[in-house]
Amino acid sequence: NALQQVERAHQSSSQRRETALARLKHVLEVGDMSLIAEALAEAKAAAVPSCAEMMLAEGLVVSQTSTQIEDLLDMAEEFRVEPEQARAAELERCQGKSRKELEQR
């Protein structure tokens, strides 16, 4: 009975790996990055062994993440202000406020 349970668990995990790999192959053909990232996570969770599809998906996901990080850094640079500008803006926001309002700020 224990042997049968082990065999069923092995078959179940094997089927999960096959299903996850099939989904990964499909979404790679579709080319939707969010689906690729999702399918890659599923494949890793199902312990799909390293293969061409896994390496391709990992490369695409890492590349997209790097691009997103670069975009965020560029945006941060656009919104960065000089200390004098920040002080002037803060002074302007504080004008006309009561001491209590300033303390809450």
Side-chain angles (χ1 to χ4, degrees):
N1 194 8
L3 181 59
Q4 288 175 338
Q5 288 178 339
V6 169
E7 286 177 358
R8 274 185 290 218
H10 177 71
Q11 286 175 342
S12 175
S13 63
S14 179
Q15 287 173 334
R16 275 190 30 225
R17 282 192 296 276
E18 288 176 22
T19 302
L21 182 57
R23 180 165 187 263
L24 182 61
K25 287 179 179 180
H26 173 72
V27 298
L28 283 168
E29 289 175 9
V30 171
D32 183 320
M33 287 306 296
S34 62
L35 292 178
I36 292 171
E38 232 176 69
L40 177 61
E42 286 176 22
K44 286 181 177 182
V48 172
S50 183
C51 60
E53 290 83 3
M54 290 285 287
M55 289 188 283
L56 175 60
E58 286 173 341
L60 291 171
V61 169
V62 167
S63 174
Q64 181 189 28
T65 301
S66 296
T67 300
Q68 290 171 337
I69 290 171
E70 287 173 15
D71 290 346
L72 287 173
L73 290 173
D74 289 344
M75 271 199 297
E77 187 69 33
E78 288 176 26
F79 291 107
R80 193 164 290 143
V81 295
E82 295 298 320
E84 286 301 316
Q85 292 172 311
R87 273 195 279 292
E90 185 65 13
L91 283 173
E92 188 176 315
R93 281 191 292 272
C94 291
Q95 285 181 344
K97 294 193 184 278
S98 68
R99 180 183 180 116
K100 187 175 183 177
E101 290 172 319
L102 290 172
E103 288 172 353
Q104 288 175 342
R105 195 170 157 75

